[in-house]
Amino acid sequence: MLQVVKGRMMQAMSHGLSRQTHAQANVRMLPTYICSTPNGTEKGNVLVAELCQSHVRILLMTLLGDGNQSPHVTDKIFDVPGDSMQGPGEAVRGGHGSGWLLLGCPVPGRLGRAPGRCGGSRLPPTAWALGKGEQPVTPAVPLQLFDFIAQCVRQFLAGVSSPEERLPLGFVFPFSCKQTQLNKAELLSWSKGFSCSGVEGKDVVQLLQSAINKQEVGDHGVGGPGWGQPRGGANDALALTPGQLFHVEVVALMNDTVGTMMTCSTRERPCEVALVVDKGTNSCFMAEAQYVEVVEETNGRMCVNTEWGCFGDDDALNDILTPYDQRVDQESSNPGKKRFEKLVGSLYLGDIVRHTLMALSAEKALFIGSNVTVLGTKGALNTQQVLEIIDNEEGMAKARVALEALGLRPSERDCCRVQQICRAVVSRSAALCAAGLAAILGYIRHSRGLERLVTNVAVDGELYRAHSRFGEILQSVTGLLAPDCMAALVPSVDGTGRGAAIVTAVALRLADQRREMDQLLAPLRLSRTDLERVQALMRQEMELGLGQETNANSSVRMLPTYVRGTPDGTERGEFLALDLGGTNFRVLVVRVAEDGIRMASEIYLIPTNIMQGTGEALFDHIVDCIMDFQLKQDLMEQVLPLGFTFSFPCQQLGLDKAVLLTWTKGFSASGCVGEDVVQLLREAAQRKRHLALKVVAVVNDTVGTMMSCGYDDPKCEIGLIVGTGTNACYMEEMQNVGTVEGERGRMCINMEWGAFGDNGCLDHIFTDFDRLVDETTINPGKQRFEKLISGMYLGEIVRYILLALVEKQVLFRGKPCPRLQTRDIFKTKFLSTIEMVMPPPACGTGTVMGMVMLTVPLVRGSDGLALQQVQAILHDLELDASFEDGVLVREVCQTVSLRAAQLCAAGLAAVVEKMRENRGLSQLAVTVGVDGTLYKVHPRFSQHLQKMLRELAPNCTVTFLQSEDGSGKGAALVAAVACRGAEP
């Protein structure tokens, strides 16, 4: 049956997390907007205001950044007057200032150490405004609750010295709220005897902040010199400095369950689940943020407050409720509500035992001869007595004492049975808690795609602390119900005090991180205006590049390719193709027939020493590869037309004549720049005595991509490469190409846009990270646009950003990372992996005890799995990365790749708008043939590019067609089109 309860709890949790079913869910799964657990680097002074049943506790904790191992804690307890608990929503003014007019000695409480939940030293309610030994004096004017809390803060700070003017405060507010931010929560309803008017529906954080803002701690404090000094060896330095002012800012609101979780995290094993079993019961856990659908946050994790005490309010627990549970529910102040809590919480266990004893005595199974009328009185037996009775050694004696105190005359056999009943009730409570805990652990494991979950579970509350057997049952049953989860139960220490302080400190750390991240990444986040300016500059450089007299002044070379047409489908024959554009070199044979294109190819590696050696060595190696391929394909005796894809900036003087302008992509072979690369290839063939080489066309990969896609789509008139490098080409009107004679028709223009900005026109968007990357390349100051976009450089940009974040102590807890100093250690392929959203775990149903149950949470796709992949990559790089480090690293990667895609879109927008204007069209429909690993492999690049292109060129309908081997097949098609044009 516990497996059934676990399954139903998981279903209830899924309903609470879903936007569609959240409003009707009994397990509310409320977002807390707490997105991190402590990492041990938290530092500084933090205030906590904890509102309890009958008092307010103010706590100051100093964190030293030592793993939160030795925080200094000082606190004070202030009893809440009944008028403040049930008074008006607005403060009643009386005399000077606001709040109570204090009469007598102004010492409302005592300072001391916090021993536990809602602990600390305190005075009785009648002495809340009195010093020791003085007579009670009734305050004259009632105070609104939040003004009272603010005054408590003021009085506490009157005896405290801090080097900081700003003190952050965490507010523990144990009432049902609708929280929309960490520091914004509207009160839904009062409980626990509080009923202040005019507060429900208002932001309680703002109410407290406004009340605090009215208070000042200045020259005189409250009550004069020496007021509120610590007692019993507290630090004498905690004295008010004359003239000192504190600005207290409420930065976080939370409940006790979240605080409990925060006290039990360690660097080695973060605590991501908390369970409180007290008079009531509740739990919380760190959920994948993308599945908390009621909030907009989709990155990382967020703590969810389950409010599982209401589990079963929809009758989901009816089949496990006993008649005794039903009677306890009927006696309660909220029948039909909090059904799970009434099976588990210590407030109800005594009465469950009491009703059980009543039923058994009615059947003459207990207390024969005794008057059992007293058992009809609610609260006649309390949970503390139940816990004492189940003790192995003294339990029987305790049972006798408790029963005789009720006027019963129990026999030895009666005491034994009562002890058994108490054990059964407490054991059931622990087992039901275990079922709920197993549901949470199972949900976490499934949503993160883990084979095994290892985590700490913080536990607090009367039942857990007072009865060791409760914890033993909780641990063992959880292990049975969630065998794939290893959960260590860790007792919480002062979850509402220290835990709340840690929550606040974590919030401050994250806020500081966010400021540093935003400041660092701001220059990489381009606005629409920035991109429109880039588009305009690209258009300007294009016009300069096309002009015969202005070409030399343009950073975009706009090179004519002498390709005058795209395939029309009549091409036939066999062609060789060569593809040189990176560290790999390919040789292909392409057979173009009526029924389509067939290809065979082989890839050959170009070693670095050849890439950066002599030109003769490079082209000799290329010819060796051609001969090896032809030998394997039995083509040595044939002379086939050859198309040569040469993906480097060239000045093309004819279809088969291209002068290399500059090397890119890591090549620097000597003796090539300024030479005709086709002639260099022919000379190498002669040296190798390979005479069957007929080069008819030399193109770059961009043109090949356009031609390859043009074979499938006649509208394809643009080629785009976004891979190791980047480039674009398009069909320009001949009348606009001033560098080539002729006015009719069109010619493909190889833009060589990778060099866009080499003349300084893009300096305004270059960041310090871009400059660092540029300075360490083999061609500093060259290919500046390419270094913002292409795969060869994005990883290095990310690496420099990560180094800066480590220096600012945002990443990896500020520890030095020598491995990050290694150039090119962060590969661009990591960006694709890091930004990938993993597929969701398979969803389905299973049968448990004859019931159809949900076996896996209903999730859309696992961001958690992707972030684990980030961690794995960072760990492989020997970087000690936490989950939160992974979130930040991914944000850096996203920012860098988004900028690359948007800059690419700005360049492409300039191209399509020029084509539209050239042709005098109000709307242009055109296809872009695209190739390159960054475009094809990166999970977001193409989406970002296309989205921004639509915004920048709204009058152009652009279709993207991914090329299938554009640089190989495309080169062959250029050769085929050339041969077709040469036929008589």
Side-chain angles (χ1 to χ4, degrees):
M1 194 64 199
L2 290 173
Q3 284 284 10
V4 174
V5 173
K6 172 191 170 184
R8 291 173 182 170
M9 179 70 84
M10 290 181 74
Q11 281 189 320
M13 289 164 55
S14 294
H15 291 154
L17 288 170
S18 169
R19 184 179 289 107
Q20 286 74 28
T21 55
H22 174 79
Q24 295 78 39
N26 291 299
V27 179
R28 296 299 304 278
M29 306 297 283
L30 301 175
T32 67
Y33 298 86
I34 294 167
C35 299
S36 175
T37 54
N39 69 3
T41 65
E42 291 81 13
K43 293 182 182 180
N45 295 319
V46 179
L47 274 173
V48 171
E50 178 189 357
L51 178 60
C52 298
Q53 182 83 28
S54 59
H55 62 269
V56 170
R57 178 185 177 204
I58 306 298
L59 175 144
L60 176 66
M61 185 161 83
T62 302
L63 295 166
L64 306 176
D66 60 353
N68 303 329
Q69 297 300 308
S70 55
H72 179 271
V73 180
T74 306
D75 75 342
K76 186 186 286 188
I77 302 296
F78 300 84
D79 290 306
V80 179
D83 288 337
S84 287
M85 295 171 62
Q86 301 176 354
E90 297 298 325
V92 178
R93 305 279 178 183
H96 175 71
S98 65
W100 290 87
L101 295 182
L102 300 178
L103 305 178
C105 178
V107 185
R110 291 287 185 265
L111 287 169
R113 296 281 178 176
R117 293 170 57 83
C118 293
S121 58
R122 58 185 298 178
L123 294 175
T126 56
W128 77 274
L130 303 177
K132 185 176 180 181
E134 299 191 34
Q135 296 300 313
V137 179
T138 303
V141 182
L143 179 69
Q144 192 256 358
L145 177 64
F146 294 97
D147 283 323
F148 173 74
I149 298 171
Q151 183 133 338
C152 294
V153 172
R154 173 186 177 182
Q155 293 170 349
F156 178 84
L157 289 179
V160 172
S161 176
S162 169
E164 304 172 53
E165 291 185 358
R166 176 179 177 267
L167 279 175
L169 182 142
F171 186 22
V172 182
F173 189 72
F175 301 98
S176 180
C177 290
K178 178 184 177 182
Q179 196 160 357
T180 53
Q181 294 177 22
L182 186 58
N183 62 349
K184 185 176 178 61
E186 293 179 3
L187 176 64
L188 297 178
S189 61
W190 287 112
S191 60
K192 307 174 186 178
F194 284 77
S195 59
C196 298
S197 61
V199 179
E200 291 180 357
K202 292 186 178 180
D203 180 3
V204 295
V205 174
Q206 186 55 48
L207 289 175
L208 179 57
Q209 186 68 65
S210 297
I212 287 173
N213 291 345
K214 299 174 192 174
Q215 306 289 330
E216 286 185 352
V217 176
D219 295 333
H220 307 295
V222 177
W227 180 92
Q229 288 297 311
R231 180 183 67 169
N235 190 345
D236 291 337
L238 295 178
L240 181 64
T241 303
Q244 182 178 1
L245 294 175
F246 290 104
H247 173 63
V248 176
E249 181 181 353
V250 186
V251 300
L253 178 137
M254 71 222 72
N255 67 7
D256 55 351
T257 317
V258 177
T260 295
M261 182 181 75
M262 287 298 193
T263 63
C264 297
S265 274
T266 65
R267 178 67 185 95
E268 294 71 26
R269 186 185 290 183
C271 180
E272 298 186 284
V273 185
L275 170 64
V276 172
V277 197
D278 208 80
K279 289 182 174 59
T281 182
N282 196 15
S283 60
C284 68
F285 69 98
M286 296 300 292
E288 305 303 304
Q290 70 177 100
Y291 306 141
V292 187
E293 295 182 5
V294 293
V295 301
E296 296 301 321
E297 180 62 49
T298 58
N299 285 322
R301 293 174 183 155
M302 179 178 289
C303 181
V304 171
N305 169 24
T306 67
E307 291 292 342
W308 75 2
C310 295
F311 175 47
D313 288 3
D314 58 353
D315 301 331
L317 295 177
N318 279 6
D319 51 355
I320 69 168
L321 295 177
T322 67
Y324 322 120
D325 301 316
Q326 301 282 16
R327 291 176 190 134
V328 169
D329 178 56
Q330 290 163 10
E331 286 179 345
S332 69
S333 61
N334 56 348
K337 304 296 182 183
K338 299 270 187 178
R339 300 307 294 269
F340 188 66
E341 183 167 281
K342 290 171 184 174
L343 299 176
V344 171
S346 66
L347 186 63
Y348 306 96
L349 299 191
D351 282 325
I352 295 173
V353 171
R354 179 176 59 84
H355 279 289
T356 307
L357 298 183
M358 283 178 62
L360 290 174
S361 62
E363 296 175 3
K364 306 300 183 183
L366 286 175
F367 312 131
I368 297 173
S370 294
N371 183 351
V372 297
T373 306
V374 68
L375 292 177
T377 304
K378 181 179 178 181
L381 195 65
N382 61 50
T383 297
Q384 182 57 42
Q385 292 171 311
V386 171
L387 294 176
E388 292 173 352
I389 290 170
I390 63 178
D391 183 82
N392 286 330
E393 296 180 0
E394 300 181 5
M396 290 287 286
K398 293 287 187 181
R400 182 172 295 280
V401 170
L403 296 171
E404 288 179 347
L406 294 175
L408 303 174
R409 298 192 302 274
S411 65
E412 191 73 14
R413 182 167 171 267
D414 289 338
C415 291
C416 181
R417 287 190 173 181
V418 168
Q419 187 181 54
Q420 290 173 345
I421 291 167
C422 290
R423 285 176 176 169
V425 169
V426 173
S427 296
R428 183 184 69 160
S429 171
L432 287 172
C433 278
L437 178 57
I440 289 175
L441 296 173
Y443 184 92
I444 294 173
R445 187 181 73 82
H446 281 301
S447 65
R448 298 181 187 177
L450 300 175
E451 292 185 7
R452 187 170 180 79
L453 172 69
V454 179
T455 188
N456 283 347
V457 176
V459 191
D460 204 353
E462 177 185 5
L463 278 177
Y464 180 78
R465 289 198 311 270
H467 179 44
S468 60
R469 181 63 181 150
F470 188 96
E472 293 169 3
I473 296 171
L474 180 62
Q475 182 80 71
S476 62
V477 175
T478 300
L480 291 172
L481 296 178
D484 297 321
C485 303
M486 189 171 77
L489 303 184
V490 182
S492 174
V493 179
D494 189 16
T496 53
R498 293 190 182 198
I502 292 173
V503 169
T504 307
V506 168
L508 292 172
R509 173 173 61 81
L510 294 181
D512 289 341
Q513 281 185 353
R514 175 46 46 201
R515 280 192 294 271
E516 292 286 3
M517 283 284 287
D518 288 343
Q519 182 178 352
L520 205 69
L521 296 179
L524 291 98
R525 290 171 170 155
L526 302 179
S527 67
R528 172 75 175 269
T529 302
D530 293 330
L531 293 167
E532 288 173 346
R533 184 179 176 189
V534 171
Q535 177 183 354
L537 287 168
M538 177 68 83
R539 176 65 180 268
Q540 177 181 305
E541 294 292 296
M542 290 171 67
E543 300 290 359
L544 291 173
L546 286 171
Q548 184 173 15
E549 296 180 357
T550 56
N551 175 267
N553 299 323
S554 174
S555 61
V556 182
R557 300 301 301 275
M558 304 297 285
L559 304 173
T561 65
Y562 295 88
V563 173
R564 301 292 301 272
T566 54
D568 62 7
T570 64
E571 297 79 16
R572 301 287 184 272
E574 282 190 327
F575 306 90
L576 281 177
L578 312 181
D579 175 16
L580 177 62
T583 55
N584 293 326
F585 170 65
R586 287 191 309 147
V587 187
L588 307 88
V589 59
V590 181
R591 297 175 176 89
V592 184
E594 187 173 353
D595 59 350
I597 295 177
R598 294 185 299 277
M599 297 185 297
S601 65
E602 187 152 347
I603 297 174
Y604 298 90
L605 179 68
I606 300 180
T608 302
N609 64 312
I610 290 180
M611 289 170 59
Q612 299 176 3
T614 66
E616 282 192 6
L618 174 62
F619 282 92
D620 284 350
H621 178 71
I622 292 171
V623 172
D624 285 338
C625 295
I626 295 171
M627 294 172 66
D628 178 77
F629 177 79
Q630 286 187 289
L631 186 63
K632 291 176 180 177
Q633 295 291 325
D634 195 23
L635 296 173
M636 289 297 287
E637 303 303 320
Q638 297 187 48
V639 179
L640 299 179
L642 184 148
F644 184 13
T645 297
F646 188 75
S647 303
F648 301 92
C650 290
Q651 180 181 4
Q652 202 143 354
L653 303 177
L655 192 57
D656 64 347
K657 186 176 180 64
V659 175
L660 177 64
L661 298 176
T662 182
W663 283 116
T664 59
K665 307 173 190 178
F667 280 75
S668 59
S670 61
C672 298
V673 175
E675 300 295 329
D676 177 6
V677 294
V678 174
Q679 186 59 32
L680 292 175
L681 181 63
R682 288 169 176 159
E683 290 171 359
Q686 290 176 351
R687 286 194 297 275
K688 295 290 183 178
R689 300 184 182 279
H690 184 56
L691 305 180
L693 203 64
K694 180 184 177 185
V695 183
V696 299
V698 59
V699 298
N700 71 2
D701 55 350
T702 319
V703 177
T705 294
M706 184 188 74
M707 296 294 277
S708 173
C709 293
Y711 185 83
D712 299 313
D713 183 353
K715 289 184 179 179
C716 183
E717 296 184 275
I718 302 173
L720 174 66
I721 298 291
V722 195
T724 306
T726 184
N727 193 18
C729 69
Y730 72 103
M731 297 301 293
E732 177 61 87
E733 308 300 313
M734 276 295 296
Q735 62 186 1
N736 296 331
V737 185
T739 53
V740 176
E741 292 184 0
E743 296 288 325
R744 300 182 61 184
R746 296 171 182 157
M747 178 179 287
C748 179
I749 297 297
N750 168 26
M751 295 178 65
E752 289 298 340
W753 78 3
F756 177 40
D758 286 4
N759 59 1
C761 67
L762 291 181
D763 283 358
H764 64 286
I765 66 168
F766 281 97
T767 68
D768 292 340
F769 309 116
D770 301 316
R771 294 183 184 94
L772 286 168
V773 170
D774 180 53
E775 290 167 3
T776 56
T777 60
I778 62 173
N779 57 346
K782 304 295 183 182
Q783 298 295 114
R784 300 296 299 278
F785 192 58
E786 181 169 275
K787 289 171 184 174
L788 300 176
I789 291 176
S790 72
M792 189 169 186
Y793 305 100
L794 298 190
E796 274 295 275
I797 296 173
V798 168
R799 184 177 70 87
Y800 278 114
I801 296 173
L802 298 186
L803 282 171
L805 289 171
V806 171
E807 184 179 350
K808 291 178 177 291
Q809 299 190 331
V810 173
L811 277 180
F812 314 132
R813 302 182 315 286
K815 293 183 178 179
C817 299
R819 285 280 286 169
L820 267 182
Q821 300 288 346
T822 306
R823 183 180 170 188
D824 293 326
I825 190 176
F826 201 93
K827 305 295 183 184
T828 296
K829 67 179 181 181
F830 294 161
L831 274 73
S832 298
T833 306
I834 282 172
E835 293 191 52
M836 193 175 297
V837 174
M838 306 296 285
C843 295
T845 58
T847 302
V848 179
M849 299 185 69
M851 299 183 62
V852 177
M853 303 298 296
L854 185 71
T855 57
V856 175
L858 295 172
V859 293
R860 302 183 298 276
S862 184
D863 186 59
L865 292 178
L867 286 167
Q868 289 166 38
Q869 188 108 7
V870 178
Q871 277 185 282
I873 290 172
L874 297 175
H875 287 157
D876 288 344
L877 295 177
E878 300 177 17
L879 301 173
D880 183 17
S882 67
F883 178 86
E884 292 153 23
D885 290 330
V887 174
L888 296 178
V889 169
R890 184 172 67 173
E891 182 178 351
V892 172
C893 294
Q894 290 171 335
T895 301
V896 170
S897 61
L898 173 63
R899 182 185 67 157
Q902 290 179 334
L903 286 172
C904 193
L908 203 53
V911 173
V912 295
E913 277 296 308
K914 186 176 193 315
M915 292 176 69
R916 184 183 67 81
E917 292 174 16
N918 284 348
R919 301 175 188 187
L921 301 174
S922 59
Q923 190 76 25
L924 172 71
V926 68
T927 296
V928 177
V930 61
D931 204 349
T933 53
L934 188 58
Y935 184 92
K936 288 184 172 181
V937 176
H938 191 283
R940 296 282 183 268
F941 191 94
S942 61
Q943 298 172 24
H944 293 320
L945 188 159
Q946 293 176 35
K947 179 178 182 294
M948 184 50 63
L949 180 59
R950 287 192 294 270
E951 293 181 23
L952 295 176
N955 296 319
C956 300
T957 303
V958 183
T959 303
F960 286 80
L961 181 61
Q962 288 194 26
S963 170
E964 296 179 6
D965 194 18
S967 53
K969 182 173 74 173
L973 285 169
V974 172
V977 170
C979 291
R980 182 195 72 198
E983 292 174 359

